[in-house]
Amino acid sequence: MAWLQAPATVPVHALARAAAPEPEIARERFKCFDTETTGLAGGTGTRAFQIGVGDWHDGAFRVRQLTLTTLAAETAMLDEFARWLRPDDVLVSYNGKSYDAPLLATRYRLARRRSPLLGLPHLDLLYPVRRRYRGHWPNCRLATVERELLGVLREHDLPGSEAPRAWLEYLRGGSAVDLRRVGEHNRQDLRSLALLLCRLTDGSGVVPVG
């Protein structure tokens, strides 16, 4: 999609100085990631049953997803996700520092694996959005960002609150229709992350936060 075309390098120094000390980062190094989980409480009882990753590859934005179709496959899913990450990657998420990354760290620890996210720079776009738009919008949820800033209209989207039910229904032998809708919801989250990353920098590379 044309709106996912990013320049060869993305200026991020004003976006998150502590998380990304380099003034410019090649677009191929960004890894947008998002999880679909069994709940929002966190802790050892919460699983990530789907992990989505979006990055720029061969000049286009691609999305790859891993979905658990049996509980026994969780370690294999975590290992595959780790293989998708490189030591020089820069993570991009929306509220991922507070939710997705800690949740995955817990799952890796339970699987007796080292989390591949540890040590990687992490741009959580929720924070620059809050700095810029808190007080202007009713909230800073990603759905609000899509509506107010990105011009993204989701049609027939399955609410995130329905994702656990869709997955459990599939595990119990039910229809995969809603699980596929969860996958589309996750894909759109990743596309919106990529678009937001591009929109948060203007032509001079200065992030409009104030």
Side-chain angles (χ1 to χ4, degrees), residues 160-210:
S161 60
E162 290 294 306
R165 175 201 57 78
W167 181 63
L168 289 172
E169 183 177 278
Y170 174 79
L171 285 188
R172 294 165 180 158
S175 170
V177 171
D178 279 350
L179 185 58
R180 286 193 289 270
R181 293 176 67 194
V182 172
E184 181 51 41
H185 176 93
N186 182 262
R187 281 190 290 273
Q188 184 56 60
D189 282 350
L190 295 168
R191 296 183 192 115
S192 293
L193 269 178
L195 180 56
L196 180 58
L197 178 64
C198 296
R199 288 293 300 271
L200 284 175
T201 54
D202 64 17
S204 66
V206 177
V207 178
V209 297

Side-chain angles (χ1 to χ4, degrees), residues 5 80 116 147 206:
Q5 294 303 309
E80 183 63 17
R147 182 180 67 250
V206 177

Side-chain angles (χ1 to χ4, degrees), residues 48 51 53 64 66 68 72-86 104 107-117:
I51 305 174
V53 175
R64 292 176 287 174
L66 297 165
L68 280 181
E74 182 179 29
T75 299
M77 179 182 75
L78 294 174
D79 287 345
E80 183 63 17
F81 175 59
R83 283 190 284 269
W84 289 359
L85 300 179
R86 302 176 305 186
L104 288 172
R107 302 318 301 179
Y108 276 100
R109 184 170 63 252
L110 292 174
R112 300 184 179 180
R113 302 285 200 275
R114 181 183 184 276
S115 172
L117 306 181

Side-chain angles (χ1 to χ4, degrees), residues 141-160:
R141 295 172 58 241
L142 184 58
T144 303
V145 175
E146 290 177 336
R147 182 180 67 250
E148 300 290 342
L149 184 65
L150 305 182
V152 172
L153 177 63
R154 300 200 189 205
E155 296 182 356
H156 312 298
D157 184 60
L158 186 74

